[in-house]
Amino acid sequence: QVQLVESGGGLVQAGGSLRLSCASSLHTFSDVAKGWFRQAPGKEREFVAAINWIGTSTDYSASVKGRFTISRDNAKKTLYLQMNSLKPEDTAVYYCAVRTRIKISNLANEYEYWGQGTQVTVTS
């Protein structure tokens, strides 16, 4: 069974930064696309960022583009999300996800495996 474990969430003031990590037990980590999604209270889960299997292609939601950076270290089987210039509206539970395809997607239903989530709270 694939395990994805997020870490790095926390409480930060607006304008601050956080770096999320997602460690994977997936044997073929280097062969799959990965993504970050988030869900705020009372809202649907939304796409944040995605990266292809080798890290040469990325995609971001309009709300985070230019502020967040997704990256991966296949040797460490770890996915990252560097979040800068955080805003109160970025407050949510952040989830990493694995799509067993090499191409990226911004659709949650195309990801097969999910982590348990890590809380990010941005205060004004």
Side-chain angles (χ1 to χ4, degrees):
Q1 184 174 349
V2 175
Q3 284 190 321
L4 301 174
V5 180
E6 300 99 335
S7 61
L11 180 68
V12 64
Q13 288 188 331
S17 298
L18 284 174
R19 188 194 195 200
L20 305 183
S21 299
C22 174
S24 171
S25 67
L26 184 65
H27 179 67
T28 56
F29 180 92
S30 61
D31 298 333
V32 299
K34 306 198 83 172
W36 288 97
F37 291 77
R38 67 186 182 187
Q39 188 166 18
K43 295 187 177 181
E44 293 187 354
R45 190 168 299 189
E46 66 171 353
F47 169 74
V48 175
I51 189 166
N52 73 339
W53 70 289
I54 200 172
T56 56
S57 178
T58 58
D59 189 22
Y60 296 92
S61 69
S63 62
V64 308
K65 196 169 186 178
R67 299 187 298 122
F68 291 9
T69 302
I70 188 171
S71 62
R72 61 191 297 165
D73 185 332
N74 287 344
K76 295 182 178 179
K77 293 188 176 182
T78 302
L79 177 71
Y80 302 101
L81 184 68
Q82 178 66 44
M83 306 186 295
N84 298 328
S85 302
L86 283 161
K87 304 175 181 180
E89 51 264 44
D90 294 319
T91 295
V93 177
Y94 283 71
Y95 300 89
C96 68
V98 167
R99 178 173 190 256
T100 55
R101 301 288 187 273
I102 60 174
K103 291 184 178 181
I104 59 177
S105 170
N106 60 7
L107 300 176
N109 61 10
E110 293 189 352
Y111 287 79
E112 291 94 335
Y113 302 103
W114 293 82
Q116 83 289 348
T118 184
Q119 177 71 46
V120 171
T121 303
V122 184
T123 60
S124 57

